Structure formats: C-alpha cells, structure tokens
Amino acid sequence: MIKLENVYKSFGDLEVLKDINLEVKSGEVVCVIGPSGSGKSTMLRCLNQLERITSGKIYIDGELADEREMGKDLKEIPPEKVQELCTELGMVFQRFNLFPHLTVLENITIAPKIVRKKQESEIKKIALDLLKLVGLEDKKDEYPSRLSGGQQQRVAIARALAMQPKIMLFDEPTSALDPELVGEVLEVMKKLAKDGMTMIVVTHEMGFAKEVGTRVIFMDEGRIIEEGDPKVIFDSPKEDRTKSFLKKIL
Amino acid sequence: MLTIPQVMALVDGTILTMQLTLIGITAGIVLGVLLALGRISKSRILNGITWVYVWAFRGTPLLMQLFIIVYAVPLFTLDLFGFPLRLPILAAAAVAYSLNSAAYLAEIIRAGIQSIDKGQMEASKALGMSYYQAMFKIIIPQAYRRLIPPVGNELIMLLKDTSLVASIGLFDVLRTTSQMTNATGKAFYYIYAAIIYLFFTTIIQVVFDKVEKKYSIYD
C-alpha cells in the first residue's frame, strides 16, 4: 500500500529522517511511537507531501509518488499525479485544523465538492453517514468553535474519510485533547481499524497501540530503531533505547 | 442659505467625490488581492514586481501620482511613441486612486492572509485541494473578517483624499465649497463640505461595524 525506501529528510543542516525504510500493507494498523523530535510526524508529513523528502523513494498504492536524490527530483512525476495519489491518504492533525468559517457539514463536503467534483446530493449522503459513524449527526449545522476538542477531532476524522482515502494518517490525534476527551476519539479510531481501514498512527497512547496496533514502530533521532508485534515491543523490547523510552512513559 | 445653482454644484461635487471613491476602492481591492498573492508567492519574479509596486506607490505622495498620471504620462508617451496617451481627467484621476489604494490594500490583504493559521493550508492540501482552491475557498474567506476594520479605514482615507483632485482642475465637494466662499466672502460654505464628508464616513463606519459583527458568528 505504502512504501518508503531509504528516505532522508533534512531541514537545513538538521537531519530529521535518516534512512527510513517502511512498508505498510493493506489492513495494517501501524502505530509509530518515540520521543518528541524523533521524526515521527515528519515521516507522516513526507508521505502526503506536506514536506518534501531530501532523498529516497515513496510509493503510494504501488505507484511511485516521489523520488529524490539530494533534494533534486530524479523522476519528474506530474503534480496532478502526485496530488491524485495523495488523495488516497487521509490526514488527521494534532490540532484538528477544521475550517472555522464553515459548518461541520460544509467542512466535510467541501473537498469532495471542489476536488472530486461529485454531485451535491451524493456528497451530502456520504457526509451524513460519516457524521453518524463519529456520532455527531446532531452537530451538522454547528460551527467548529461550538464543539469540544474531542468533537472537533471526530469531525476532522469524518472530513478526511469523506475523500474516501485508502489509508488514514493520524498525527498525534489525541495529544491536544483534555484527558477526558481522548477516549471518544480513540473509540472512533478503533471502529475504523475494525472496519479494515489501513492506518498509520503517530501516538503517545500506548494502550491504543497495544490493543489496536498490528505493528508498532519505535523511532528515535530520525531512525526506525525497532519494529514488530505490539506485544513483543511492549513486553520484551530488544533495543536499549526502546527499553529506556518505554520505562519512562509506562 | 443655498441657492438652487449652489445646491446643484454641491450635488455634482458629491457625485464626483463618490465616483472616485467607489472606483478607487473596488479596483483597489481587485488589484490589491492580486498584488497580495504576488507578495506571498514563492516566485521570486512575482514577489519582486509586487514589492516594487507597493514600494513605489506607498513611498511617493498621492498628489504627485495624480500629477504624473494626469499630466506627465501624456507627455512621456508623446515623446516615446509619438502620440499622447491621454485619458479624460476624471478617468485619469480614477486610475491614480485605484493604483494608489491597491498598494495599501495589498499590504492589508497580505497581512490578513498571513494571519491565518498555517494548519488551514496544510489541511486543505491534505484534502487534495490545489493552492488556489485553498486560497480562495479556505484562506481568504477566513481573512475577510480581519480585513473589515483596516479596509474601512482605507475607504475613509480614500474618500477624504479625493479632495486632492482640486489641484488637477476637477470640482469635488471641497473645491465647490471653497469656490463659493471665494465668490461670496462667506466661510460657512465649508460647513456644508464637512457635513457631506461626515455623512458618508458615518455610513461607512456603521455599515462596516455591522458587517464585522455579521462575520463574527463562527468565532
């Protein structure tokens, strides 16, 4: 579904991703953990081209989406093609980033309307189904500022799903939430996982990673240090760095 | 009191003032949006051109710009191309006010756009929108509300600055009243000018306050 090959990313002199190799198959729920500044979020942002990789290859849905060497494009992939591949990826941000000038329903319908150019009635039906999925049908005409953080994040998930992506990327989706609101967002994510959605989740919620993750990746200083089955990683990590990280947070 | 010809003259002056103000603000906003997009664009050329435009029009007196567009451009074009590019004075003045207010509005609009959280553009891109789709559907509509007070400010400035056209031979509100004063030796005619300006600035102020409130529903 998604493959990163020898991916490097630098911001100026600062190397934030070093030789990342990762393959995510259909139906997997990959949880990425690690200390802050370890490159987890940057890796997600490189996948959907919010950041450009410095070198390496990215495949989305089996097709080459980006190939670079020392910051230069090796193979010119037409921007429309890249944009099309990126719409296979839905993204949920730490700070929700809902559009405050649009109602909940409009937040969900705007992208299908102007990007996919689908029919209004069809879009609305999909949007209402999604609102039902995240449990917020009664909020469809509210503006985001009237919702709690947890509700906003659930709308953000519905908004991303409305583009009918094949893979969902979650960038610390519960880190900006009050503790009592974390559960409702995780519930929605569990539902998605159960329905077979392919997901990459950058998270500090170890409980979620253990329960829902099919694989856990531990990153530190821009590298993937260790990866494997959640049980194995949490109960008997091999690497010292993984051990000391888990000791600190568990 | 005013005689009927004096009333007619004041009406004509008011119409001229309003024409210049409305053309200036409308053309200024359209051109201002384009200039603002140039100022924040990644293209160095667009960036440079729009920077120089804003620099030139903000950095020189409006009166000088009026003189250049009304008097100097016909002479330059006569020398260069053999024919004078001469507009009617009112049209030339309207061009000058549009170009000038565009420079100020461009900075207002640029600052408004840049004040919108970066996450909005990222979320738009993550949903597959192009840069311009995101700009016109997501970013600029959110900037509207923040733009209302400074644009109202600019509109009031523009209204008052139209009095400069007296020096290129046009009869606006102020010049009409000062001519009446010169002809009669009575200074109270200026009060009429003040009333007319205040009448329109009051309308602008009230309308802009209302619009700002209307846009605050989603905050």
Side-chain angles (χ1 to χ4, degrees):
Chain A
M1 224 67 273
I2 274 194
K3 201 159 89 178
L4 291 103
E5 271 181 22
N6 312 106
V7 166
Y8 288 79
K9 169 71 186 173
S10 309
F11 293 109
D13 288 337
L14 185 71
E15 220 173 30
V16 282
L17 294 180
K18 298 165 198 159
D19 197 19
I20 298 287
N21 289 283
L22 175 68
E23 192 174 353
V24 177
K25 294 209 167 67
S26 182
E28 273 194 289
V29 177
V30 177
C31 292
V32 186
I33 61 170
S36 49
S38 58
K40 311 177 299 275
S41 293
T42 306
M43 184 174 78
L44 276 198
R45 294 164 61 81
C46 285
L47 276 176
N48 68 356
Q49 309 282 316
L50 288 178
E51 306 284 355
R52 289 303 169 89
I53 58 175
T54 309
S55 58
K57 288 184 196 177
I58 293 179
Y59 294 89
I60 298 172
D61 209 11
E63 288 193 66
L64 189 63
D66 207 1
E67 179 175 13
R68 278 160 203 269
E69 185 77 53
M70 306 305 287
K72 289 221 175 67
D73 251 326
L74 278 193
K75 208 171 139 200
E76 283 288 337
I77 301 158
E80 304 82 47
K81 181 77 194 162
V82 175
Q83 204 185 342
E84 192 193 312
L85 286 176
C86 286
T87 56
E88 308 283 357
L89 309 174
M91 176 101 165
V92 174
F93 298 86
Q94 182 176 352
R95 289 178 48 244
F96 332 134
N97 296 341
L98 290 181
F99 305 132
H101 63 304
L102 302 177
T103 64
V104 164
L105 189 65
E106 288 166 342
N107 260 279
I108 300 175
T109 55
I110 186 161
K113 204 184 295 179
I114 65 177
V115 179
R116 294 258 201 253
K117 306 218 159 52
K118 281 193 183 165
Q119 283 224 303
E120 192 104 13
S121 55
E122 187 190 351
I123 297 169
K124 200 172 166 196
K125 196 182 161 295
I126 294 172
L128 291 173
D129 284 348
L130 287 169
L131 277 175
K132 201 178 282 177
L133 176 81
V134 300
L136 290 168
E137 311 130 274
D138 53 328
K139 301 286 187 199
K140 69 181 168 64
D141 296 318
E142 294 279 8
Y143 285 95
S145 59
R146 298 289 177 91
L147 305 182
S148 72
Q151 291 171 330
Q152 289 194 42
Q153 193 62 298
R154 279 143 69 197
V155 173
I157 293 172
R159 178 178 70 174
L161 289 171
M163 288 296 283
Q164 299 175 314
K166 291 187 178 148
I167 303 153
M168 286 286 284
L169 311 176
F170 291 85
D171 187 7
E172 302 198 25
T174 57
S175 297
L177 295 176
D178 291 336
E180 76 269 23
L181 302 175
V182 169
E184 60 190 70
V185 172
L186 293 180
E187 272 315 307
V188 171
M189 292 167 62
K190 281 178 200 166
K191 233 190 274 182
L192 282 183
K194 211 178 281 169
D195 288 347
M197 175 62 81
T198 310
M199 293 160 61
I200 305 179
V201 185
V202 171
T203 188
H204 294 294
E205 295 294 330
M206 299 304 147
F208 177 85
K210 241 184 215 171
E211 187 190 332
V212 186
T214 56
R215 184 160 39 131
V216 168
I217 288 177
F218 173 68
M219 280 181 76
D220 193 18
E221 291 175 351
R223 292 179 197 280
I224 294 178
I225 305 294
E226 193 168 351
E227 63 177 300
D229 187 84
K231 278 195 194 69
V232 178
I233 298 277
F234 285 115
D235 298 339
S236 50
K238 275 187 262 146
E239 302 288 331
D240 286 343
R241 270 194 277 183
T242 318
K243 281 178 200 164
S244 73
F245 173 76
L246 289 172
K247 200 181 283 171
K248 259 182 247 162
I249 59 155
L250 285 179
Chain B
M1 277 316 287
L2 295 173
T3 64
I4 289 180
Q6 282 176 326
V7 173
M8 297 306 290
L10 273 181
V11 169
D12 285 346
T14 307
I15 290 174
L16 185 118
T17 295
M18 291 316 292
Q19 276 176 327
L20 288 174
T21 308
L22 292 177
I23 295 172
I25 198 74
T26 313
I29 287 175
V30 174
L31 188 53
V33 169
L34 297 177
L35 287 167
L37 289 176
R39 292 277 284 118
I40 57 175
S41 126
K42 282 194 190 120
S43 148
R44 288 219 175 151
I45 298 169
L46 280 179
N47 226 304
I49 293 172
T50 48
W51 187 90
V52 169
Y53 181 99
V54 171
W55 170 76
F57 277 90
R58 285 204 309 180
T60 57
L62 175 53
L63 188 57
M64 189 197 95
Q65 294 163 20
L66 270 173
F67 285 157
I68 288 179
I69 291 170
V70 176
Y71 299 131
V73 166
L75 294 175
F76 279 138
T77 48
L78 182 62
D79 283 347
L80 280 175
F81 309 115
F83 66 90
L85 179 63
R86 196 197 304 278
L87 293 169
I89 293 186
L90 179 59
V95 169
Y97 281 105
S98 304
L99 296 180
N100 181 272
S101 72
Y104 286 92
L105 288 162
E107 285 299 277
I108 293 171
I109 294 165
R110 177 185 63 80
I113 290 173
Q114 287 179 330
S115 75
I116 302 300
D117 186 80
K118 271 200 187 112
Q120 294 290 309
M121 179 57 93
E122 291 187 347
S124 309
K125 283 195 176 161
L127 286 165
M129 292 183 211
S130 69
Y131 177 80
Y132 285 102
Q133 281 175 333
M135 221 14 130
F136 286 103
K137 297 281 183 187
I138 304 297
I139 309 293
I140 292 178
Q142 285 182 60
Y144 281 161
R145 198 173 94 77
R146 297 180 197 186
L147 293 181
I148 291 162
V151 169
N153 222 4
E154 175 61 22
L155 179 56
I156 288 174
M157 301 284 276
L158 184 61
L159 174 72
K160 294 183 298 180
D161 282 346
T162 54
S163 58
L164 291 174
V165 294
S167 43
I168 52 168
L170 292 175
F171 280 87
D172 71 318
V173 173
L174 183 60
R175 187 167 180 208
T176 307
T177 51
S178 67
Q179 191 129 47
M180 289 175 190
T181 299
N182 290 343
T184 59
K186 295 196 172 85
F188 70 87
Y189 291 105
Y190 284 118
I191 294 173
Y192 288 105
I195 291 172
I196 292 170
Y197 283 118
L198 283 171
F199 174 72
F200 287 110
T201 49
T202 308
I203 292 180
I204 294 170
Q205 205 160 321
V206 170
V207 168
F208 273 70
D209 279 352
K210 283 239 165 77
V211 176
E212 194 184 348
K213 280 222 184 74
K214 201 189 131 217
Y215 272 106
S216 66
I217 37 168
Y218 56 79
D219 272 342

